[in-house]
Amino acid sequence: MPPLRRHQLAFVTADGWKNVLARTWGEPIKAGLTHWAAQGLPVVVTRQLPARANTAGRIALGVCLPETWERQRVALQLMPKQLSMFTEFPPLTASLGALSALERKAMRHLAASLAANHLQARVYGSVGWQTVTGLPYLHDHSDIDLWLAVKDAHAADTAVHFLQQVEGLKRRVDGELVFPDGSAVAWREWAAWRQGRCQRLLVKHLLGQELRDAMVCDKRQLQWEMAT
């Protein structure tokens, strides 16, 4: 099994779905999960319990159901052997079908600018789930949620520069910068911190989130220090 991280998709085995559906679920969750199992749709890795609280070694996962099943968020816990494969949410360029013509043009330009700087945006949230499942998630107030893997502070600054160029669309372009250790920062908060408008950052990781001070060393290596 690969190392777990946030925004990771996983596919559940037939035995895993049998275990899930045997539990007591109310409607409409039961119907939604039955559809997920029948279609072999993925689930997403969510916040994990600390090892001391998870002696059975279960993996925390989630399903975000669309409007068809009242936008319910469902928490699951499965054993590693009940998962067959891990994958990613799709890249931005593969996720434009449900967007307006203006949004598609802006996102293609964003993706090209990022690619020219060795960066790639992947979708999650409503756009991501709609792309992965083919089900209707997007509504008038949905954001375009992106996550970008960045190797260091310089790459994060570069990503933010291009993200800021697509402000003003009908849909808000939101999302996270994800560093090599799996820690993630909202790109807007990173921009505010770099501009001196805030002193601490909310850093999310596999086991939760923390408010931290951040220090950048020679623009290449990001080091976090716990806030006091």
Side-chain angles (χ1 to χ4, degrees), residues 68-157:
T68 309
W69 298 288
E70 299 180 4
R71 299 189 180 276
Q72 297 280 345
R73 294 180 180 272
V74 187
L76 304 173
Q77 288 190 348
L78 292 170
M79 298 300 296
K81 67 181 181 181
Q82 294 175 317
L83 300 174
S84 61
M85 183 177 72
F86 290 85
T87 187
E88 306 287 351
F89 272 108
L92 176 58
T93 50
S95 310
L96 304 178
L99 302 179
S100 70
L102 180 62
E103 290 163 346
R104 287 197 298 272
K105 181 178 179 181
M107 292 301 101
R108 288 193 185 101
H109 181 72
L110 172 62
S113 298
L114 292 170
N117 288 272
H118 311 290
L119 295 167
Q120 182 186 56
R122 290 185 179 274
V123 294
Y124 63 104
S126 295
V127 178
W129 282 112
Q130 183 158 316
T131 303
V132 166
T133 67
L135 297 168
Y137 280 82
L138 279 172
H139 54 79
D140 289 345
H141 302 292
S142 296
D143 295 335
I144 301 173
D145 293 306
L146 307 175
W147 73 268
L148 293 90
V150 292
K151 64 181 180 180
D152 53 30
H154 177 71
D157 289 343

Coordinates of all heavy atoms in Angstrom, one line a residue, residues 68-157:
T68 N -28.3 14.3 -5.8 CA -29.2 13.1 -5.9 C -29.4 12.5 -4.6 O -30.5 12.0 -4.3 CB -28.6 12.1 -6.9 OG1 -28.2 12.7 -8.1 CG2 -29.5 10.9 -7.2
W69 N -28.4 12.4 -3.7 CA -28.5 11.8 -2.4 C -28.3 12.9 -1.3 O -27.6 12.7 -0.3 CB -27.6 10.7 -2.2 CG -27.9 9.6 -3.2 CD1 -29.0 8.7 -3.2 CD2 -27.2 9.2 -4.4 NE1 -29.0 7.9 -4.2 CE2 -27.9 8.2 -5.0 CE3 -26.1 9.7 -5.0 CZ2 -27.5 7.6 -6.2 CZ3 -25.7 9.1 -6.2 CH2 -26.4 8.1 -6.8
E70 N -28.7 14.1 -1.6 CA -28.8 15.2 -0.6 C -27.4 15.7 -0.1 O -27.3 16.2 1.0 CB -29.7 14.8 0.6 CG -31.1 14.5 0.2 CD -32.0 14.1 1.4 OE1 -31.5 14.2 2.6 OE2 -33.2 13.8 1.2
R71 N -26.4 15.5 -1.0 CA -25.1 16.0 -0.7 C -24.6 15.5 0.7 O -23.9 16.2 1.4 CB -25.0 17.6 -0.7 CG -25.4 18.1 -2.1 CD -25.1 19.6 -2.2 NE -25.5 20.1 -3.5 CZ -24.7 20.0 -4.6 NH1 -23.5 19.5 -4.5 NH2 -25.1 20.5 -5.7
Q72 N -24.9 14.3 1.0 CA -24.4 13.7 2.3 C -22.9 13.4 2.2 O -22.4 13.0 1.2 CB -25.2 12.4 2.6 CG -26.7 12.6 2.7 CD -27.0 13.1 4.1 OE1 -26.2 13.1 5.0 NE2 -28.2 13.6 4.3
R73 N -22.2 13.7 3.3 CA -20.8 13.3 3.4 C -20.8 12.0 4.3 O -21.3 12.1 5.5 CB -20.0 14.4 4.0 CG -19.9 15.6 3.1 CD -19.1 16.7 3.7 NE -19.0 17.8 2.8 CZ -18.0 18.0 1.8 NH1 -17.1 17.1 1.7 NH2 -18.0 19.1 1.1
V74 N -20.2 11.0 3.8 CA -20.2 9.7 4.5 C -18.8 9.3 4.9 O -17.9 9.3 4.1 CB -20.8 8.6 3.6 CG1 -21.0 7.3 4.4 CG2 -22.1 9.0 3.0
A75 N -18.6 9.0 6.2 CA -17.3 8.6 6.7 C -17.3 7.0 6.8 O -18.2 6.4 7.2 CB -17.1 9.1 8.1
L76 N -16.2 6.5 6.3 CA -16.0 5.0 6.3 C -14.6 4.7 6.9 O -13.7 5.5 6.9 CB -16.0 4.5 4.8 CG -17.2 4.8 4.0 CD1 -16.9 4.3 2.5 CD2 -18.4 4.1 4.5
Q77 N -14.5 3.5 7.4 CA -13.3 2.9 7.9 C -13.1 1.5 7.3 O -14.0 0.7 7.6 CB -13.2 2.9 9.4 CG -13.0 4.3 10.0 CD -12.7 4.3 11.5 OE1 -12.8 3.2 12.1 NE2 -12.3 5.4 12.0
L78 N -12.0 1.3 6.6 CA -11.8 0.0 6.0 C -10.4 -0.5 6.3 O -9.5 0.3 6.5 CB -12.1 0.0 4.5 CG -13.5 0.3 4.0 CD1 -13.6 0.5 2.6 CD2 -14.4 -0.9 4.4
M79 N -10.2 -1.8 6.2 CA -8.9 -2.4 6.4 C -8.1 -2.2 5.0 O -8.7 -2.2 4.0 CB -9.0 -3.9 6.7 CG -9.6 -4.1 8.1 SD -8.8 -3.3 9.5 CE -7.2 -4.2 9.4
P80 N -6.8 -2.1 5.1 CA -6.0 -2.0 3.8 C -6.4 -3.1 2.8 O -6.4 -2.8 1.6 CB -4.6 -2.1 4.3 CG -4.6 -1.6 5.7 CD -5.9 -2.0 6.3
K81 N -6.6 -4.3 3.2 CA -6.9 -5.4 2.3 C -8.2 -5.2 1.6 O -8.5 -5.9 0.6 CB -6.8 -6.8 3.0 CG -8.0 -7.0 4.0 CD -7.9 -8.3 4.7 CE -9.0 -8.5 5.7 NZ -8.9 -9.9 6.4
Q82 N -9.1 -4.3 2.1 CA -10.3 -4.0 1.4 C -10.3 -2.9 0.4 O -11.3 -2.5 -0.1 CB -11.4 -3.7 2.5 CG -11.7 -4.9 3.4 CD -12.6 -4.5 4.6 OE1 -12.5 -3.4 5.2 NE2 -13.6 -5.4 4.8
L83 N -9.0 -2.5 0.1 CA -8.8 -1.5 -0.9 C -7.9 -2.1 -2.0 O -6.9 -2.7 -1.7 CB -8.1 -0.2 -0.3 CG -8.9 0.5 0.8 CD1 -8.1 1.6 1.4 CD2 -10.2 1.0 0.3
S84 N -8.3 -1.9 -3.2 CA -7.6 -2.6 -4.3 C -6.6 -1.7 -5.0 O -5.6 -2.2 -5.6 CB -8.7 -3.1 -5.4 OG -9.4 -1.9 -5.9
M85 N -6.8 -0.4 -5.0 CA -5.9 0.5 -5.8 C -6.1 2.0 -5.3 O -7.2 2.3 -4.9 CB -6.3 0.4 -7.3 CG -5.4 1.2 -8.2 SD -5.8 1.0 -9.9 CE -7.3 1.9 -10.0
F86 N -5.0 2.7 -5.4 CA -5.1 4.1 -5.1 C -4.8 4.9 -6.4 O -4.0 4.5 -7.2 CB -4.0 4.5 -4.0 CG -4.4 4.0 -2.6 CD1 -4.0 2.7 -2.3 CD2 -5.0 4.8 -1.7 CE1 -4.3 2.2 -1.0 CE2 -5.4 4.3 -0.5 CZ -5.0 3.0 -0.1
T87 N -5.4 6.1 -6.5 CA -5.2 6.9 -7.6 C -5.3 8.4 -7.2 O -5.4 8.7 -6.1 CB -6.1 6.5 -8.8 OG1 -5.8 7.2 -10.0 CG2 -7.6 6.8 -8.4
E88 N -5.4 9.3 -8.2 CA -5.5 10.7 -8.0 C -6.8 11.3 -8.6 O -7.3 10.7 -9.5 CB -4.3 11.4 -8.7 CG -2.9 10.9 -8.3 CD -2.5 11.2 -6.9 OE1 -3.2 12.0 -6.2 OE2 -1.5 10.7 -6.4
F89 N -7.2 12.4 -8.0 CA -8.2 13.2 -8.7 C -7.5 13.6 -10.1 O -6.3 13.8 -10.2 CB -8.5 14.4 -7.9 CG -9.7 14.2 -6.9 CD1 -9.4 14.2 -5.6 CD2 -11.0 14.1 -7.4 CE1 -10.4 14.0 -4.7 CE2 -12.0 13.9 -6.5 CZ -11.7 13.8 -5.1
P90 N -8.4 13.9 -11.1 CA -7.8 14.2 -12.4 C -7.2 15.6 -12.5 O -7.4 16.5 -11.7 CB -9.1 14.1 -13.3 CG -10.2 14.4 -12.4 CD -9.8 13.8 -11.1
P91 N -6.3 15.7 -13.5 CA -5.7 17.1 -13.7 C -6.7 18.1 -14.2 O -7.8 17.7 -14.7 CB -4.6 16.8 -14.8 CG -5.0 15.5 -15.4 CD -5.8 14.7 -14.4
L92 N -6.4 19.3 -14.0 CA -7.3 20.4 -14.4 C -7.8 20.3 -15.8 O -8.9 20.5 -16.2 CB -6.7 21.7 -14.1 CG -7.4 23.0 -14.5 CD1 -8.8 23.1 -13.8 CD2 -6.6 24.2 -14.2
T93 N -6.8 20.0 -16.7 CA -7.1 19.9 -18.1 C -8.1 18.9 -18.5 O -8.7 18.9 -19.6 CB -5.8 19.7 -19.0 OG1 -5.1 18.6 -18.4 CG2 -5.0 21.0 -18.9
A94 N -8.3 17.9 -17.7 CA -9.3 16.8 -17.9 C -10.6 17.0 -17.3 O -11.5 16.1 -17.3 CB -8.7 15.4 -17.5
S95 N -10.8 18.2 -16.7 CA -12.0 18.4 -15.8 C -12.8 19.7 -16.2 O -13.4 20.3 -15.3 CB -11.5 18.6 -14.4 OG -10.7 17.5 -14.0
L96 N -12.7 20.1 -17.5 CA -13.3 21.4 -17.8 C -14.7 21.3 -18.4 O -15.3 22.3 -18.7 CB -12.4 22.0 -18.9 CG -10.9 22.2 -18.4 CD1 -10.1 22.9 -19.6 CD2 -10.9 23.1 -17.2
G97 N -15.2 20.1 -18.6 CA -16.5 19.9 -19.4 C -17.7 20.6 -18.8 O -18.5 21.1 -19.5
A98 N -17.8 20.7 -17.5 CA -18.9 21.3 -16.8 C -18.8 22.9 -16.7 O -19.7 23.5 -16.2 CB -19.2 20.7 -15.5
L99 N -17.7 23.4 -17.0 CA -17.4 24.8 -16.8 C -17.9 25.7 -18.0 O -18.1 25.2 -19.1 CB -15.9 25.1 -16.6 CG -15.3 24.4 -15.4 CD1 -13.8 24.7 -15.3 CD2 -16.0 24.7 -14.1
S100 N -18.1 27.0 -17.8 CA -18.5 27.8 -18.9 C -17.4 28.0 -19.8 O -16.2 27.7 -19.5 CB -18.9 29.2 -18.3 OG -17.8 29.9 -17.8
A101 N -17.7 28.6 -21.0 CA -16.6 28.8 -22.0 C -15.5 29.7 -21.5 O -14.3 29.5 -21.7 CB -17.2 29.4 -23.3
L102 N -15.9 30.8 -20.8 CA -14.9 31.7 -20.2 C -14.1 31.0 -19.2 O -12.8 31.2 -19.1 CB -15.7 32.9 -19.6 CG -14.8 34.0 -18.9 CD1 -13.9 34.6 -20.0 CD2 -15.7 35.0 -18.2
E103 N -14.7 30.2 -18.3 CA -13.9 29.5 -17.3 C -13.0 28.5 -17.9 O -11.9 28.3 -17.5 CB -14.9 28.8 -16.3 CG -15.7 29.8 -15.4 CD -16.9 29.2 -14.8 OE1 -17.3 28.1 -15.2 OE2 -17.4 29.8 -13.9
R104 N -13.5 27.8 -19.0 CA -12.6 26.8 -19.6 C -11.4 27.5 -20.2 O -10.2 27.0 -20.1 CB -13.4 26.1 -20.7 CG -14.4 25.1 -20.2 CD -14.8 24.1 -21.3 NE -15.4 24.8 -22.4 CZ -16.8 25.0 -22.5 NH1 -17.6 24.7 -21.5 NH2 -17.3 25.6 -23.6
K105 N -11.6 28.6 -20.9 CA -10.5 29.4 -21.5 C -9.4 29.8 -20.4 O -8.2 29.6 -20.5 CB -11.0 30.6 -22.2 CG -9.9 31.4 -22.9 CD -10.5 32.6 -23.6 CE -9.4 33.4 -24.3 NZ -9.9 34.6 -25.0
A106 N -10.0 30.3 -19.3 CA -9.1 30.7 -18.2 C -8.3 29.6 -17.6 O -7.1 29.7 -17.2 CB -9.9 31.4 -17.1
M107 N -9.0 28.4 -17.4 CA -8.4 27.3 -16.8 C -7.3 26.6 -17.7 O -6.3 26.1 -17.3 CB -9.4 26.2 -16.4 CG -10.3 26.7 -15.2 SD -9.4 27.0 -13.7 CE -9.4 28.8 -13.8
R108 N -7.6 26.6 -19.0 CA -6.6 26.1 -20.0 C -5.3 27.0 -19.9 O -4.2 26.5 -20.0 CB -7.2 26.1 -21.4 CG -8.2 25.0 -21.6 CD -8.5 24.8 -23.1 NE -9.6 23.9 -23.3 CZ -10.8 24.2 -23.6 NH1 -11.2 25.5 -23.7 NH2 -11.7 23.3 -23.8
H109 N -5.5 28.3 -19.9 CA -4.4 29.2 -19.8 C -3.6 29.0 -18.5 O -2.4 29.0 -18.5 CB -4.9 30.7 -19.9 CG -3.8 31.7 -19.8 ND1 -2.9 31.9 -20.9 CD2 -3.4 32.5 -18.8 CE1 -2.0 32.8 -20.5 NE2 -2.3 33.2 -19.3
L110 N -4.4 28.8 -17.4 CA -3.7 28.5 -16.1 C -2.9 27.3 -16.2 O -1.7 27.2 -15.7 CB -4.8 28.4 -15.0 CG -4.3 28.0 -13.6 CD1 -3.2 28.9 -13.1 CD2 -5.4 27.8 -12.7
A111 N -3.5 26.2 -16.7 CA -2.8 24.9 -16.8 C -1.6 25.0 -17.6 O -0.5 24.4 -17.3 CB -3.8 23.9 -17.3
A112 N -1.6 25.7 -18.7 CA -0.5 25.9 -19.6 C 0.6 26.7 -18.9 O 1.8 26.3 -19.0 CB -0.9 26.6 -20.9
S113 N 0.3 27.8 -18.2 CA 1.3 28.6 -17.5 C 1.9 27.7 -16.4 O 3.2 27.8 -16.2 CB 0.6 29.8 -16.9 OG 0.0 30.6 -17.9
L114 N 1.2 26.9 -15.7 CA 1.7 26.1 -14.6 C 2.7 25.0 -15.3 O 3.8 24.8 -14.8 CB 0.6 25.4 -13.8 CG -0.2 26.3 -13.0 CD1 -1.5 25.6 -12.4 CD2 0.6 26.9 -11.8
A115 N 2.2 24.4 -16.3 CA 3.0 23.4 -17.0 C 4.4 23.9 -17.5 O 5.4 23.2 -17.4 CB 2.2 22.7 -18.2
A116 N 4.4 25.1 -17.9 CA 5.6 25.8 -18.4 C 6.6 26.0 -17.3 O 7.8 26.2 -17.5 CB 5.3 27.1 -19.1
N117 N 6.1 25.9 -16.0 CA 6.9 26.1 -14.9 C 7.0 24.8 -14.1 O 7.3 24.8 -12.9 CB 6.4 27.2 -14.0 CG 6.7 28.6 -14.6 OD1 7.7 29.1 -14.4 ND2 5.7 29.1 -15.4
H118 N 6.7 23.6 -14.7 CA 6.8 22.3 -14.1 C 5.9 22.1 -13.0 O 6.2 21.4 -12.0 CB 8.3 22.0 -13.7 CG 9.3 22.3 -14.8 ND1 9.4 21.6 -15.9 CD2 10.2 23.3 -14.9 CE1 10.3 22.1 -16.7 NE2 10.8 23.2 -16.1
L119 N 4.7 22.7 -13.1 CA 3.7 22.5 -12.1 C 2.4 22.0 -12.7 O 2.1 22.2 -13.9 CB 3.4 23.9 -11.4 CG 4.5 24.5 -10.6 CD1 4.2 25.9 -10.3 CD2 4.7 23.7 -9.3
Q120 N 1.6 21.3 -11.9 CA 0.3 20.8 -12.4 C -0.8 20.9 -11.3 O -0.5 20.6 -10.2 CB 0.4 19.3 -12.8 CG -0.8 18.7 -13.3 CD -0.8 17.2 -13.6 OE1 -0.5 16.4 -12.6 NE2 -1.0 16.8 -14.8
A121 N -1.9 21.4 -11.8 CA -3.1 21.5 -10.9 C -4.0 20.3 -11.1 O -4.2 19.9 -12.2 CB -3.8 22.8 -11.1
R122 N -4.4 19.7 -9.9 CA -5.5 18.7 -10.0 C -6.7 19.3 -9.3 O -6.6 20.1 -8.4 CB -5.0 17.4 -9.3 CG -3.9 16.7 -10.0 CD -3.5 15.4 -9.4 NE -2.5 14.7 -10.1 CZ -2.8 13.9 -11.2 NH1 -4.0 13.6 -11.5 NH2 -1.8 13.3 -11.8
V123 N -7.8 18.8 -9.8 CA -9.1 19.3 -9.2 C -9.5 18.4 -8.0 O -9.1 17.2 -7.9 CB -10.2 19.3 -10.2 CG1 -10.0 20.3 -11.3 CG2 -10.4 17.9 -10.8
Y124 N -10.3 18.9 -7.1 CA -11.0 18.1 -6.1 C -12.3 18.8 -5.9 O -12.8 19.5 -6.8 CB -10.2 17.8 -4.8 CG -9.8 19.1 -4.0 CD1 -10.5 19.3 -2.8 CD2 -8.8 19.9 -4.4 CE1 -10.2 20.4 -2.0 CE2 -8.5 21.0 -3.6 CZ -9.1 21.3 -2.4 OH -8.8 22.3 -1.7
G125 N -13.0 18.6 -4.8 CA -14.3 19.3 -4.6 C -15.3 18.9 -5.6 O -15.3 17.8 -6.2
S126 N -16.2 19.8 -5.9 CA -17.4 19.6 -6.8 C -16.9 19.2 -8.2 O -17.4 18.3 -8.8 CB -18.3 20.8 -6.8 OG -18.9 21.0 -5.6
V127 N -15.9 20.0 -8.7 CA -15.5 19.7 -10.1 C -14.8 18.4 -10.1 O -15.0 17.6 -11.1 CB -14.5 20.8 -10.5 CG1 -14.0 20.5 -11.9 CG2 -15.2 22.2 -10.5
G128 N -14.0 18.1 -9.1 CA -13.3 16.8 -9.1 C -14.2 15.6 -9.0 O -14.1 14.6 -9.8
W129 N -15.2 15.7 -8.1 CA -16.1 14.6 -8.0 C -17.0 14.4 -9.2 O -17.3 13.3 -9.6 CB -17.0 14.8 -6.7 CG -16.3 14.4 -5.4 CD1 -15.9 15.2 -4.4 CD2 -15.9 13.1 -5.0 NE1 -15.3 14.6 -3.4 CE2 -15.3 13.2 -3.8 CE3 -16.0 11.8 -5.6 CZ2 -14.8 12.1 -3.0 CZ3 -15.5 10.7 -4.9 CH2 -14.9 10.9 -3.6
Q130 N -17.4 15.5 -9.8 CA -18.2 15.4 -11.0 C -17.4 14.7 -12.2 O -18.0 13.9 -12.9 CB -18.7 16.8 -11.4 CG -19.7 16.7 -12.6 CD -20.6 17.9 -12.7 OE1 -21.1 18.4 -11.7 NE2 -20.7 18.5 -13.9
T131 N -16.2 15.1 -12.3 CA -15.3 14.5 -13.3 C -15.1 13.0 -13.1 O -15.2 12.2 -14.0 CB -14.0 15.2 -13.4 OG1 -14.2 16.6 -13.6 CG2 -13.1 14.7 -14.5
V132 N -14.9 12.6 -11.9 CA -14.6 11.2 -11.5 C -15.8 10.4 -11.6 O -15.7 9.2 -12.1 CB -14.0 11.2 -10.1 CG1 -14.0 9.7 -9.6 CG2 -12.6 11.7 -10.1
T133 N -17.0 10.9 -11.2 CA -18.1 10.0 -11.1 C -19.1 10.2 -12.3 O -19.9 9.3 -12.5 CB -18.9 10.3 -9.8 OG1 -19.5 11.6 -9.9 CG2 -18.0 10.2 -8.6
G134 N -19.1 11.3 -13.0 CA -20.1 11.6 -14.0 C -21.4 12.0 -13.4 O -22.4 12.2 -14.2
L135 N -21.5 12.2 -12.1 CA -22.7 12.6 -11.5 C -22.8 14.2 -11.3 O -21.7 14.8 -11.3 CB -22.8 11.9 -10.1 CG -22.9 10.4 -10.1 CD1 -22.7 9.8 -8.7 CD2 -24.2 10.0 -10.7
P136 N -23.9 14.8 -11.1 CA -24.1 16.2 -11.0 C -23.7 16.7 -9.6 O -24.4 16.5 -8.7 CB -25.5 16.5 -11.4 CG -26.2 15.2 -11.0 CD -25.3 14.1 -11.2
Y137 N -22.6 17.4 -9.6 CA -22.2 18.0 -8.3 C -22.2 19.6 -8.4 O -22.5 20.2 -7.4 CB -20.7 17.6 -8.0 CG -20.6 16.3 -7.3 CD1 -20.6 15.1 -8.1 CD2 -20.5 16.1 -5.9 CE1 -20.5 13.8 -7.5 CE2 -20.4 14.9 -5.3 CZ -20.4 13.7 -6.1 OH -20.3 12.5 -5.6
L138 N -21.8 20.1 -9.5 CA -21.7 21.6 -9.6 C -23.0 22.3 -9.5 O -24.0 21.8 -10.1 CB -21.0 21.9 -11.0 CG -19.5 21.8 -11.1 CD1 -19.0 22.0 -12.5 CD2 -18.8 22.8 -10.2
H139 N -23.0 23.4 -8.8 CA -24.1 24.3 -8.8 C -23.6 25.7 -8.9 O -22.4 25.9 -9.0 CB -24.9 24.1 -7.5 CG -24.2 24.2 -6.2 ND1 -23.8 25.4 -5.7 CD2 -23.6 23.3 -5.4 CE1 -23.1 25.2 -4.6 NE2 -22.9 23.9 -4.4
D140 N -24.5 26.7 -8.9 CA -24.1 28.1 -9.2 C -23.0 28.6 -8.2 O -22.2 29.5 -8.6 CB -25.3 29.0 -9.1 CG -26.2 28.8 -10.3 OD1 -25.8 28.1 -11.3 OD2 -27.4 29.3 -10.3
H141 N -23.0 28.1 -7.0 CA -22.0 28.6 -6.0 C -20.8 27.7 -5.8 O -20.1 27.9 -4.8 CB -22.8 28.9 -4.7 CG -23.9 29.8 -4.8 ND1 -23.8 31.1 -5.1 CD2 -25.3 29.6 -4.7 CE1 -25.0 31.7 -5.2 NE2 -25.9 30.8 -5.0
S142 N -20.7 26.7 -6.6 CA -19.5 25.8 -6.5 C -18.2 26.5 -6.8 O -18.1 27.3 -7.8 CB -19.7 24.6 -7.4 OG -20.8 23.8 -7.0
D143 N -17.2 26.3 -6.0 CA -15.8 26.8 -6.4 C -15.2 25.8 -7.3 O -15.6 24.7 -7.6 CB -15.0 26.8 -5.1 CG -15.5 27.8 -4.1 OD1 -16.2 28.8 -4.5 OD2 -15.2 27.7 -2.9
I144 N -14.1 26.3 -7.9 CA -13.1 25.4 -8.6 C -12.0 25.1 -7.7 O -11.2 26.0 -7.4 CB -12.6 26.1 -9.9 CG1 -13.8 26.4 -10.9 CG2 -11.6 25.1 -10.6 CD1 -13.4 27.2 -12.1
D145 N -12.0 24.0 -7.1 CA -11.0 23.6 -6.1 C -9.8 22.9 -6.7 O -10.0 21.9 -7.4 CB -11.6 22.7 -5.0 CG -12.7 23.4 -4.2 OD1 -12.3 24.5 -3.6 OD2 -13.8 23.0 -4.1
L146 N -8.6 23.4 -6.5 CA -7.4 22.9 -7.1 C -6.4 22.5 -6.0 O -6.3 23.2 -5.0 CB -6.8 23.9 -8.0 CG -7.7 24.4 -9.1 CD1 -6.9 25.5 -9.9 CD2 -8.1 23.4 -10.1
W147 N -5.6 21.5 -6.2 CA -4.4 21.3 -5.3 C -3.2 21.1 -6.2 O -3.3 20.5 -7.3 CB -4.6 20.1 -4.4 CG -4.6 18.7 -4.9 CD1 -5.6 18.0 -5.3 CD2 -3.4 17.9 -5.0 NE1 -5.2 16.7 -5.7 CE2 -3.8 16.7 -5.5 CE3 -2.0 18.1 -4.8 CZ2 -2.9 15.6 -5.8 CZ3 -1.1 17.1 -5.0 CH2 -1.6 15.9 -5.5
L148 N -2.1 21.7 -5.8 CA -0.9 21.7 -6.6 C 0.2 21.2 -5.7 O 0.5 21.7 -4.6 CB -0.5 23.1 -7.1 CG -1.4 23.8 -8.1 CD1 -2.5 24.6 -7.4 CD2 -0.6 24.7 -9.0
A149 N 0.9 20.2 -6.1 CA 2.1 19.7 -5.4 C 3.3 20.7 -5.7 O 3.6 21.0 -6.9 CB 2.5 18.3 -5.9
V150 N 3.9 21.2 -4.7 CA 5.0 22.2 -4.8 C 6.2 21.7 -4.0 O 6.0 21.2 -2.9 CB 4.6 23.6 -4.4 CG1 3.5 24.2 -5.3 CG2 4.0 23.6 -2.9
K151 N 7.3 21.8 -4.6 CA 8.5 21.2 -3.9 C 9.1 22.1 -2.9 O 9.9 21.6 -2.0 CB 9.6 20.8 -5.0 CG 10.2 21.9 -5.7 CD 11.2 21.4 -6.7 CE 11.8 22.6 -7.5 NZ 12.8 22.1 -8.5
D152 N 8.9 23.4 -3.0 CA 9.5 24.3 -2.1 C 8.8 25.7 -2.1 O 7.8 25.8 -2.8 CB 11.0 24.5 -2.4 CG 11.2 24.9 -3.9 OD1 10.3 25.6 -4.5 OD2 12.3 24.6 -4.4
A153 N 9.3 26.6 -1.4 CA 8.6 27.9 -1.3 C 8.6 28.7 -2.6 O 7.7 29.4 -2.9 CB 9.3 28.8 -0.2
H154 N 9.7 28.5 -3.3 CA 9.8 29.2 -4.7 C 8.7 28.7 -5.6 O 8.0 29.5 -6.3 CB 11.1 29.0 -5.3 CG 11.3 29.6 -6.7 ND1 11.3 31.0 -6.9 CD2 11.3 29.0 -7.9 CE1 11.4 31.2 -8.2 NE2 11.4 30.1 -8.8
A155 N 8.5 27.4 -5.6 CA 7.4 26.8 -6.4 C 6.1 27.2 -6.0 O 5.2 27.5 -6.8 CB 7.5 25.3 -6.4
A156 N 5.9 27.3 -4.6 CA 4.6 27.8 -4.1 C 4.3 29.2 -4.6 O 3.2 29.6 -5.0 CB 4.6 27.7 -2.6
D157 N 5.3 30.1 -4.5 CA 5.2 31.5 -5.0 C 4.8 31.5 -6.5 O 4.0 32.3 -6.9 CB 6.5 32.3 -4.7 CG 6.7 32.5 -3.3 OD1 5.8 32.4 -2.5 OD2 7.9 32.9 -2.9

